[in-house]
């Protein structure tokens, strides 16, 4: 096994000619380090520049500005065929005129390896992805999941320095997606290879990644582990893009230890954490995750009225009117609590660790 | 984001290929046209329109111009009507497979024959000793020349173009749309008038323009059938050069032909060529029982199609018959002597034609695939220009191309007149655009990331092209190959100016035989050409079928134009 290498982007930008808007930036000044052996996900909505960033790492596109490093080598001006990468395409991009065996062998034939060596490597990798015995099939005879495995085998058999995935699971059905993402993660760890993974699916990103970089309009807005992004988002965009969330407007009334006191709809809440330390008196946004709110018919906290409820078996989802706003609350019913009816008056209790403050920087 | 198109960057192979292609296009497309314009519009190095006026002032030439337009318009209208009859019958009459195959066969025959086989059969049928006029009706001294017979022959020759244009458009009309009109209480005729016909309108315009252009450019049919009373531009230009040795006059006349030809080409390509109503919205309905044709109307349609097919079959049977009798119209004793003649005296023409077609075929196929690939997949300065320039010789009437080549390659250092090279070059640059279009169409169906996958695995651009792209566009390569070969066997309008004592062509010999009234050898030559073309077509479609088993990509029609 070769020791894994880092990938480094330094101020990488890419412009495109847009028919209507003229020159637009697809990627603007992106800097990023992917640590050796790590699986980093570029996550964002469509058009945020994540695929373009990945394609610049691969060498399918050349940046207009900035540099790309793989290991200690500046690969900015190298073509894709000189970079020693493994790329898995959204459309699989299998060679339709070649058998499974020849598809996987393609990269080895490019390297002019001996036939016996090629046969050995291809058999081993087909075995690894669970496709032993498929070598004589043509791509169009395979199911979507099998095609995806061939694409994966073809990418890893050449022992690339880095593995790049461009939304590899988006053409599969939901159950297969969950299964394949587990296999991709297992393979990546077993091979100990540095990987960059592009997706717009936040659940997939959280399941598979060591770290996630969230992109919005061509820039990286936040990088970190799934937990960090979920519990400590840097912006409203990240808070809303990852998981479900409630955003409330409030005003800082006092500093309290590491946290702050906030007034929301005439009631006080204590928040333990903030993206940046807010000034007293500043207007701020509170991020409340639906499952961190405790709902009950009586008690202390924000008072509101149930608007609607959805019973989903293991949990109940409520829409609760508080002041002029509607909050989403998820109750997992741990205490065997009663299902509340629409129109009922309720109180919402929020522990200080469940409140995250955005804005109002001192 | 056109992510798939790679920049040339450091790719010397791309630059070298682009450079070579431009040199070839410059030499065999732009240079002849420049020489032609120079000869037509310049005198002693100065712009001079004096000659132009004197040529255009000739009432005979003006009549030829008007005749050409009249003939083209009539052929356009008649051919579109006939093509629609066939297309509508194929799409709506609920025919079985064997009927459809018969319709296709009847329309294929005129498409792949030498352009004047119908004209020859017309003479056999309606001439002074014609089977119908003389033998059946006993008319003495009947004349088969003029507008009527030219119009009839050209309509029968070119209506398959309209059929091929209209059939997919009619087939794409969702039957549910017609069902909907029925359910709202329309009669069948009303549905046809208010739904089917309007949806086919872009197809009509397209078919009309294609036929108009084909008739405008047709040289062989009027040369045989139009006669002295009905001069048209291509034949006038030909006579100006071969009869009067007036190159300048021929150049001016060919420019007169260029004006309507270019107008029609641009109308077709950039205006109606694009448009077809997209009627498939959402999921297309299941194949409903198509009720849009009443039973009696169905039989009427079938009878009309069958009648046309019988006329075509009769013409070809006549051609064959004339090739195996002593002297058609006088002595109907069976003989092989005409075939003996063409395989002895005529052997050189057969030999030359096969060599030229055989050399041009791979070159034209390769040229088409290369240009198509570069235009569709690579980004380099002048890409659009290359696409347009490569289409010029295809779009121009053959007479113009022939005269331009004759003028351009007559003097050193490019004295190619009289060589085989000039004929091969003419065919390659005139008929490879079908291959270019087929390649572009096929590449548009192939996900560009397949080529990127190869690149990502370390393959250089040349290797990616060889190992991935080329195998995928092999169907287009074969289609291009086939068209170049077929046209090399059957074309005459351009190359009649380029043949010599050293290199001649079967089609030119047929024409010579016709003018010498040795009809037997002319018929035998025609039968031979049709036979060779069919054999090659069968071989190519066999190869295409073999290739299509794996990928599921297909080239729809190899004879789309």
């Amino acid at each position: 096994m070769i020791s894994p290498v880092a990938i480094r982007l330094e101020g990488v930008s890419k412009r495109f000619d847009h028919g209507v808007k003229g020159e637009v930036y697809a990627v603007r000044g992106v800097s990023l380090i992917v640590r050796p052996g790590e699986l980093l996900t570029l996550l964002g909505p469509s058009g945020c520049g994540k695929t373009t960033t990945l394609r610049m790492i691969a060498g399918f596109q050349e940046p207009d500005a900035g540099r790309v490093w793989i290991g200690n080598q500046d690969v900015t001006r190298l073509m894709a065929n000189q970079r020693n990468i493994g790329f898995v395409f959204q459309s699989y991009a299998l060679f339709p005129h070649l058998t499974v065996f020849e598809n996987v062998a393609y990269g080895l034939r490019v390297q002019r390896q001996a036939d016996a060596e090629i046969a050995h490597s291809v058999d081993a990798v087909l075995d690894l992805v669970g496709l032993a015995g498929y070598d004589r099939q043509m791509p169009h005879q395979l199911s979507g999941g099998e095609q995806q495995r061939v694409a994966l085998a073809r990418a890893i058999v050449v022992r690339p320095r880095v593995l790049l995935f461009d939304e590899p699971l988006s053409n599969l059905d939901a159950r297969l997606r969950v299964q394949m993402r587990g296999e991709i993660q297992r393979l990546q760890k077993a091979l100990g290879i540095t990987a960059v993974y592009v997706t717009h699916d936040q659940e997939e990103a959280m399941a598979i990644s060591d770290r996630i970089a969230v992109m919005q309009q061509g820039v990286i807005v936040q990088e970190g582990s799934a937990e960090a992004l979920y519990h400590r988002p840097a912006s409203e965009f990240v808070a809303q893009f990852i998981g479900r969330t409630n955003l409330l407007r409030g005003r800082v009334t006092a500093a309290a230890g590491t946290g702050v006191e906030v007034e929301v709809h005439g009631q006080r809440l204590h928040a333990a954490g903030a993206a940046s330390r807010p000034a007293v008196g500043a207007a701020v946004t509170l991020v409340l995750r639906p499952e961190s709110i405790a709902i009950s018919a009586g008690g202390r906290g924000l008072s509101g009225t149930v608007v609607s409820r959805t019973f989903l078996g293991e949990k109940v989802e409520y829409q609760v009117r508080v002041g002029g706003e509607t909050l989403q609350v998820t109750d997992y019913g741990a205490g065997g609590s009663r299902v509340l009816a629409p129109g009922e008056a309720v109180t919402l209790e929020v522990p200080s660790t469940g409140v995250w403050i955005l804005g109002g920087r001192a | 984001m056109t992510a798939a198109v790679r920049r040339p960057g450091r790719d010397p192979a791309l630059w070298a290929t682009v450079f070579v292609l431009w040199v070839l296009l410059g030499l065999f497309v732009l240079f002849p046209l420049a020489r032609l314009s120079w000869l037509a519009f310049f005198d002693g190095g100065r712009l001079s329109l004096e000659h132009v006026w004197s040529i255009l002032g000739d009432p005979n030439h003006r009549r030829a111009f008007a005749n050409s337009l009249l003939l083209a318009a009539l052929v356009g209208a008649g051919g579109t009507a006939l093509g629609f009859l066939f297309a509508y019958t194929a799409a709506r009459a609920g025919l079985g497979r064997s009927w459809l195959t018969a319709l296709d066969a009847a329309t294929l025959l005129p498409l792949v024959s030498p352009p004047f086989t119908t004209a020859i059969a017309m003479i056999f049928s309606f001439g002074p000793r014609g089977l119908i006029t003389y033998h059946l009706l006993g008319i003495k001294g009947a004349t088969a020349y003029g507008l009527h017979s030219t119009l009839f022959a050209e309509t029968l020759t070119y209506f398959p173009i309209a059929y091929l244009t209209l059939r997919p458009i009619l087939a794409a009309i969702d039957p549910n749309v017609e069902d909907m009109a029925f359910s709202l209480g329309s009669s069948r005729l009303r549905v046809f008038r208010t739904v089917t016909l309007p949806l086919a309108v872009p197809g009509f315009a397209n078919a009309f323009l294609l036929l108009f252009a084909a008739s405008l450019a047709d040289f062989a049919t009027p040369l045989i059938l139009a006669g002295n009373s009905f001069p048209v531009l291509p034949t006038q230009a030909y006579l100006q050069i071969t009869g009067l040795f007036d190159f300048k006059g021929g150049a001016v006349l060919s420019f007169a032909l260029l004006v309507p030809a270019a107008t029609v080409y641009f109308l077709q390509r950039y205006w109606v060529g694009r448009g077809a109503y997209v009627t498939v919205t959402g999921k297309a309905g299941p194949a409903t029982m198509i009720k849009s044709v009443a039973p009696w109307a169905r039989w009427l349609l079938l009878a009309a199609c069958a009648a046309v097919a019988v006329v075509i079959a009769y013409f070809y049977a006549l051609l064959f018959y004339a090739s195996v009798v002593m002297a058609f119209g006088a002595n109907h004793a069976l003989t092989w002597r005409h075939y003996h003649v063409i395989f002895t005296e005529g052997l050189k023409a057969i030999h030359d034609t096969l060599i030229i077609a055989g050399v041009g075929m791979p070159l034209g196929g390769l040229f088409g695939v290369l240009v198509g690939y570069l235009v569709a997949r690579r980004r380099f300065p002048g890409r659009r220009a290359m696409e347009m320039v490569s289409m010029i010789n295809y779009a121009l009437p053959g007479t113009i191309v022939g005269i331009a080549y004759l003028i351009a390659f007559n003097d050193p250092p490019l004295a190619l007149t009289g060589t085989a090279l000039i004929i091969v070059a003419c065919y390659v640059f005139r008929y490879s655009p079908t291959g270019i279009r087929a390649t572009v169409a096929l590449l548009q169906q192939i996900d560009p990331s397949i080529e990127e996958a190869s690149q990502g695995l370390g393959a250089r651009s040349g290797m990616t092209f060889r190992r991935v792209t080329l195998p995928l566009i092999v169907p287009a390569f074969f289609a291009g190959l086939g068209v170049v070969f077929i046209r090399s066997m059957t074309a005459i309008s351009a190359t009649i100016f380029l043949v010599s004592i050293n290199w001649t062509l079967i089609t030119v010999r047929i024409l010579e035989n016709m003018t010498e009234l040795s009809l037997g050898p002319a018929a035998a030559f025609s039968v031979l050409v049709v036979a060779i073309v069919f054999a090659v077509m069968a071989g190519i479609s066999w190869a295409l079928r073999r290739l299509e088993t794996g990928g599921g990509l297909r080239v729809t029609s190899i004879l789309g134009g």
Side-chain angles (χ1 to χ4, degrees):
Chain A
M1 194 161 82
I2 29 173
S3 59
V5 296
I7 301 169
R8 192 149 50 93
L9 305 184
E10 292 173 0
V12 168
S13 292
K14 181 75 189 171
R15 287 186 304 270
F16 284 106
D17 285 326
H18 188 280
V20 184
K21 296 184 224 160
E23 286 236 306
V24 293
Y25 275 92
V27 173
R28 186 193 290 264
V30 162
S31 294
L32 179 71
I33 290 177
V34 189
R35 297 173 195 132
E38 173 181 57
L39 192 156
L40 178 127
T41 294
L42 295 172
L43 174 67
S46 63
C48 72
K50 55 190 190 299
T51 293
T52 306
T53 306
L54 188 78
R55 293 172 60 84
M56 287 192 289
I57 299 174
F60 295 133
Q61 269 157 1
E62 209 173 285
D64 297 321
R67 312 218 68 81
V68 180
W69 297 74
I70 296 178
N72 295 321
Q73 189 186 11
D74 180 350
V75 298
T76 315
R77 304 283 163 225
L78 284 187
M79 310 242 293
N81 53 16
Q82 301 163 313
R83 292 192 184 192
N84 191 14
I85 48 143
F87 201 99
V88 180
F89 292 87
Q90 179 173 9
S91 58
Y92 318 139
L94 299 182
F95 305 125
H97 59 303
L98 300 179
T99 60
V100 167
F101 181 91
E102 284 302 327
N103 260 283
V104 178
Y106 188 90
L108 303 174
R109 295 212 187 279
V110 170
Q111 297 171 3
R112 298 185 192 287
Q113 292 195 7
D115 281 352
E117 217 176 316
I118 290 176
H120 181 75
S121 307
V122 172
D123 283 347
V125 79
L126 284 179
D127 203 34
L128 191 64
V129 298
L131 284 181
Y134 280 69
D135 45 352
R136 280 151 179 266
Q137 307 261 35
M138 296 301 282
H140 66 94
Q141 296 172 307
L142 305 181
S143 71
E146 289 163 349
Q147 292 187 21
Q148 185 57 269
R149 284 161 203 263
V150 177
L152 194 59
R154 186 178 65 178
I156 60 179
V157 75
V158 294
R159 302 183 178 281
R161 288 192 292 177
V162 297
L163 257 180
L164 307 173
F165 296 91
D166 183 13
E167 309 223 13
L169 306 179
S170 56
N171 288 338
L172 301 178
D173 67 54
R175 267 201 17 216
L176 207 51
R177 235 179 359 239
V178 172
Q179 187 193 339
M180 279 302 292
R181 79 186 182 207
E183 289 189 33
I184 287 176
Q185 193 182 29
R186 175 179 64 78
L187 265 174
Q188 184 261 339
K189 287 292 171 244
L191 298 168
I193 192 167
T194 315
V196 181
Y197 190 102
V198 160
T199 182
H200 62 265
D201 181 340
Q202 46 102 8
E203 186 189 307
E204 190 174 302
M206 291 203 270
I208 204 169
S209 318
D210 297 313
R211 267 186 327 130
I212 299 171
V214 182
M215 291 191 72
Q216 181 191 12
Q217 291 176 2
V219 298
I220 292 179
V221 290
Q222 192 174 3
E223 268 178 75
S225 66
E227 292 93 324
L229 295 178
Y230 188 77
H231 293 299
R232 300 187 291 281
S235 66
E236 291 184 22
F237 172 79
V238 176
Q240 282 181 309
F241 197 75
I242 299 199
R244 299 192 323 137
T245 197
N246 295 301
L247 295 177
L248 290 173
R249 310 293 158 196
R251 186 168 296 282
V252 177
T253 51
T258 57
V260 286
E261 294 279 348
V262 189
E263 189 189 286
V264 181
H265 297 303
Q267 303 180 63
R268 269 160 201 254
L269 281 178
H270 185 248
S276 57
R277 195 164 175 79
V280 173
V284 291
T285 302
L286 291 79
V287 179
L288 301 179
R289 297 292 181 185
E291 73 281 359
S292 64
I293 302 171
I295 186 169
S296 59
R300 288 157 24 83
L302 300 172
S303 51
T305 317
V306 175
V307 179
S308 68
R309 62 139 201 257
T310 312
F311 180 75
L312 291 171
E314 87 274 17
K315 63 184 175 186
V316 185
E317 290 181 356
Y318 294 99
Q319 310 267 337
V320 180
R321 195 107 191 121
V322 177
E325 288 172 283
T326 305
L327 298 191
Q328 302 176 59
V329 178
T330 306
D331 181 17
Y332 282 90
S337 55
R338 186 171 66 87
V339 174
L340 301 160
E344 241 179 284
V346 292
T347 55
L348 304 178
E349 207 173 330
V350 192
S352 65
T353 51
V355 185
W356 179 253
I357 303 288
L358 292 173
R361 188 208 294 261
Chain B
M1 291 182 234
T2 50
V5 188
R6 294 191 296 275
R7 284 155 182 274
R10 298 146 302 283
D11 195 345
L14 173 65
W15 288 113
T17 313
V18 168
F19 177 75
V20 169
L21 290 179
W22 267 122
V23 168
L24 289 172
L25 286 171
L27 196 58
F28 290 108
V29 177
L30 297 177
F31 172 65
L33 276 183
R35 287 284 296 152
L36 185 72
S37 339
W38 178 264
L39 187 65
F41 299 116
F42 287 83
D43 218 349
R46 289 193 20 251
L47 184 70
S48 152
L49 296 178
E50 205 174 304
H51 205 78
V52 175
W53 296 134
S54 83
I55 288 281
L56 296 183
D58 184 332
N60 217 20
H61 293 151
R62 279 221 298 270
R63 211 147 59 82
F65 188 74
N67 283 346
S68 271
L69 293 185
L70 174 68
L71 178 65
L74 289 175
V75 170
T80 304
L82 208 52
F84 181 75
L85 168 72
F86 271 67
Y88 187 75
T89 306
R92 285 291 183 270
L95 299 179
R97 274 203 87 77
S98 48
W99 275 100
L100 286 175
T101 312
L103 277 188
D104 280 340
T107 53
L108 190 65
L109 210 50
L111 263 187
V112 298
S113 306
F116 38 69
T117 36
T118 318
I120 297 174
M122 288 279 292
I123 301 277
F124 288 156
S125 210
F126 302 107
R129 305 282 282 180
L131 188 66
I132 290 181
T133 40
Y134 181 79
H135 289 275
L136 223 59
L137 304 175
I139 301 170
K140 296 218 165 64
T143 172
Y145 305 102
L147 171 64
H148 289 96
S149 53
T150 315
L151 171 62
F152 186 76
E154 286 194 3
T155 305
L156 218 51
T157 305
Y158 293 124
F159 90 89
I161 299 175
Y163 169 69
L164 288 180
T165 312
L166 289 168
R167 193 178 152 179
I169 288 174
L170 285 175
I173 296 175
D174 183 353
N176 285 353
V177 175
E178 288 171 357
D179 286 352
M180 187 63 212
F182 277 121
S183 74
L184 293 172
S186 291
S187 68
R188 284 196 175 95
L189 195 63
R190 194 186 167 84
V191 172
F192 180 75
R193 198 163 48 75
T194 57
V195 178
T196 317
L197 270 186
L199 284 174
V201 157
F204 282 130
N206 204 358
F208 177 82
L209 291 178
L210 287 171
L211 290 178
F212 190 95
S215 165
L216 201 61
D218 193 0
F219 163 78
T221 312
L223 194 62
I224 293 177
L225 281 182
N228 296 330
S229 59
F230 191 75
V232 291
L233 273 180
T235 51
Q236 286 297 100
Y238 171 69
L239 294 175
Q240 199 78 18
I241 284 181
T242 55
L244 305 173
F245 295 104
D246 176 9
F247 281 49
K248 213 169 170 60
V252 171
L253 282 177
S254 64
F255 262 101
L257 186 59
L258 177 63
V259 174
T263 310
V264 165
Y265 178 76
F266 283 106
L267 276 180
Q268 192 270 326
R269 191 85 208 278
Y270 296 102
W271 179 51
V272 291
R274 305 245 150 125
Y277 294 113
V278 178
T279 59
V280 183
T281 48
K283 196 169 183 293
T288 57
M289 272 294 292
I290 294 168
K291 302 164 286 290
S292 53
V293 179
W296 61 267
R298 180 166 178 264
W299 288 114
L300 209 62
L301 286 171
L302 275 179
C305 286
V308 175
V310 163
V311 170
I312 293 172
Y314 158 73
F315 275 170
Y316 280 84
L318 205 57
L319 202 63
F320 179 73
Y321 182 64
S323 78
V324 293
V325 296
M326 290 296 284
F328 187 82
N331 180 355
H332 287 192
L334 291 180
T335 176
W336 290 111
R337 59 177 283 192
H338 303 312
Y339 287 94
H340 187 256
V341 168
I342 67 169
F343 281 112
T344 50
E345 283 170 44
L347 191 62
K348 179 168 169 47
I350 298 174
H351 183 249
D352 287 355
T353 305
L354 284 175
I355 287 183
I356 285 166
V359 170
M361 177 165 77
L363 293 179
L366 195 65
F367 182 77
V369 161
L370 262 182
V371 173
Y373 167 72
L374 290 176
V375 160
R377 277 290 202 265
R378 304 302 293 262
R379 178 177 288 177
F380 55 92
R383 184 169 61 97
R384 293 300 303 265
M386 179 181 279
E387 186 180 14
M388 289 189 67
V389 169
S390 66
M391 289 284 164
I392 289 179
N393 278 10
Y394 169 78
L396 289 178
T399 314
I400 301 180
V401 177
I403 295 175
Y405 269 49
L406 182 64
I407 292 165
F409 300 115
N410 213 5
D411 308 311
L414 293 168
L416 302 177
T417 316
T419 64
L421 178 63
I422 192 172
I423 303 178
V424 170
C426 178
Y427 284 146
V428 165
F429 290 93
R430 196 158 145 65
Y431 297 118
S432 55
T434 310
I436 298 177
R437 293 232 189 128
T439 306
V440 170
L442 203 54
L443 280 172
Q444 279 164 354
Q445 300 170 47
I446 297 172
D447 186 350
S449 54
I450 290 175
E451 286 152 285
E452 286 174 354
S454 166
Q455 204 199 0
L457 290 166
R460 289 162 183 279
S461 67
M463 188 178 209
T464 301
F465 182 72
R466 231 173 29 250
R467 302 275 296 266
V468 177
T469 318
L470 204 54
L472 292 177
I473 55 181
V474 153
F477 176 66
F478 273 92
L481 219 66
V483 168
V484 173
F485 183 85
I486 291 167
R487 295 300 170 213
S488 300
M489 292 297 298
T490 60
I492 186 165
S493 58
T495 34
I496 192 160
F497 297 98
L498 306 177
V499 293
S500 59
I501 299 179
N502 306 327
W503 291 92
T504 189
L505 296 169
I506 296 179
T507 46
V508 176
R509 283 305 301 268
I510 297 176
L511 211 59
E512 285 166 10
N513 283 329
M514 286 303 290
T515 47
E516 292 159 7
L517 290 178
S518 27
L519 303 183
F525 268 130
S526 302
V527 170
L528 178 73
V529 168
V530 172
I532 294 176
V533 164
F534 265 79
V536 171
M537 288 260 304
I540 287 173
S541 34
W542 177 80
L544 281 174
R545 266 201 307 280
R546 289 278 316 258
L547 288 166
E548 273 168 5
T549 48
L553 301 159
R554 50 185 65 241
V555 177
T556 41
S557 141
I558 66 167
L559 289 161

